[in-house]
Amino acid sequence: MTEEEPACCAAAREERSSGDERPSRDSDVDDDSLPLSVSPATDDDSRTTGMVRLDGSTFTMGTDSDEGFPQDGEGPAREVTVDPFYVNKFAVTNAQFLEFVKETGYTTDAERFGWSFVFEDFVAEADREHCLQNVPAAPWWVAVEGANWLHPEGPSSSMLDDRLKHRLLPN
């Protein structure tokens, strides 16, 4: 992914409104917290237990259809090459992710930055005061202060209420 090819569900950096003071994924990262190197995984590696290896390939990503939203990273259609990688056989539940966080101390980008994008229709009325702004090119995504995996719609929501068995979607 490059600045010219934004992530899915995100407008290109130059399309964000001016005066956007919020940190990007590329800034404010504590390099000391990142591993210096990680050896490649193999089929007999304990890290790949419960995983399958997917062969890398080149595929067409995105669409040129009028149904797609280029502002959301859905277009234009383009060729993308993916290296081989391992993926879990089953989706991770929120309870499993919570266990992982407790065991490792992992901190998500949303937790580090103090905000995350939330689909506009999911922002609770109680959290409207925590809305920082939206992306003009993708107004259905609202930056909500205090939103993260544990508080998916903003600070008044909680993953612990009744969603621990739900499958976790990245935020």
Side-chain angles (χ1 to χ4, degrees), residues 150-169:
L150 194 56
H151 305 283
E153 290 92 31
S156 73
S157 64
S158 176
M159 187 63 62
L160 302 178
D161 288 343
D162 63 354
R163 302 185 227 188
L164 287 177
K165 293 184 180 178
H166 288 200
R167 303 296 176 182
L168 184 66
L169 299 174

Side-chain angles (χ1 to χ4, degrees), residues 103-129:
E103 289 177 6
T104 65
Y106 180 76
T107 303
T108 64
D109 286 348
E111 291 170 293
R112 260 196 344 261
F113 298 158
W115 66 274
S116 184
F117 283 112
V118 176
F119 187 68
E120 180 180 40
D121 292 348
F122 293 169
V123 178
E125 192 60 41
D127 291 329
R128 294 279 172 195
E129 67 185 86

